Amino acid sequence: MLFANCMQPHTDIPFADLEVPEGIAVIDRRIELIEFAKKYLGTTYQYAGMNPAKGFDCSGFVYFVFQKYNIDVPRSSGEYKSFGISLKPEEFRLGDVLVFYGYQDNTQIGHVGIICEANGMNSKFIHASSGAPYSVTISELNSEMYTRRFYKCIDVMH
């Protein structure tokens, strides 16, 4: 008897349509994008590749991931030099794109990756590496290899 009223519908209680605030939806989308990207960890490196069955190069991987979410980004790493607006390290977020100079050429853009753990210049990023892992991997931005080659970080998801 005590809980008899619990089973009765309460039609006199007004319900408003719940809306997810835009900021939360964007955060969820960024998390979803990173989870999708991580599904390809270990996928082999393939020059000019943008197909998980055959492999990825760095820009092919970034392109593939963002295309899944209908976000237009350049197909080649060199095009990132003039693409987007640079962020300050304290503004880095999940899903932002890191842009690097080439391994041996500090005048040309040669590498890109996606931030998967945002912490300024201590962030981690997922990318298709032509280096020792020779696959999609996660690296630390603060490593000597990437700090010296860092060019900029951009938000392509705004």
Side-chain angles (χ1 to χ4, degrees):
M1 281 300 202
L2 183 61
F3 297 105
N5 287 333
C6 291
M7 302 305 284
Q8 301 297 319
H10 292 281
T11 56
D12 58 335
I13 300 173
F15 285 97
D17 289 338
L18 295 177
E19 291 185 21
V20 177
E22 188 174 317
I24 292 174
V26 170
I27 291 169
D28 287 347
R29 190 169 182 212
R30 288 174 180 271
I31 291 168
E32 184 181 328
L33 181 132
I34 296 305
E35 288 173 356
F36 175 74
K38 286 181 176 180
K39 291 179 181 179
Y40 298 95
L41 282 168
T43 302
T44 193
Y45 178 87
Q46 174 66 47
Y47 178 77
M50 53 184 273
N51 179 333
K54 296 181 181 180
F56 296 109
D57 69 359
C58 66
S59 58
F61 176 67
V62 171
Y63 183 84
F64 174 82
V65 169
F66 282 103
Q67 285 301 296
K68 162 84 166 134
Y69 295 89
N70 298 311
I71 298 170
D72 290 324
V73 296
R75 172 55 190 96
S76 75
S77 58
E79 294 175 74
Y80 280 91
K81 188 163 193 171
S82 59
F83 185 76
I85 297 170
S86 297
L87 300 172
K88 297 174 187 167
E90 60 270 17
E91 298 171 322
F92 294 3
R93 295 182 294 171
L94 292 179
D96 289 344
V97 176
L98 294 171
V99 182
F100 300 92
Y101 289 112
Y103 179 69
Q104 295 179 340
D105 183 350
N106 64 356
T107 62
Q108 298 291 319
I109 299 304
H111 193 63
V112 291
I114 306 168
I115 292 181
C116 60
E117 289 183 33
N119 186 19
M121 293 303 289
N122 293 312
S123 296
K124 292 184 180 180
F125 64 102
I126 187 167
H127 61 120
S129 174
S130 62
Y134 210 70
S135 66
V136 174
T137 190
I138 294 175
S139 297
E140 296 183 10
L141 176 57
N142 69 0
S143 69
E144 193 273 331
M145 163 70 78
Y146 293 107
T147 299
R148 69 178 174 82
R149 295 171 51 202
F150 177 75
Y151 177 66
K152 68 179 177 178
C153 177
I154 57 174
D155 177 3
V156 299
M157 298 184 73
H158 0 289

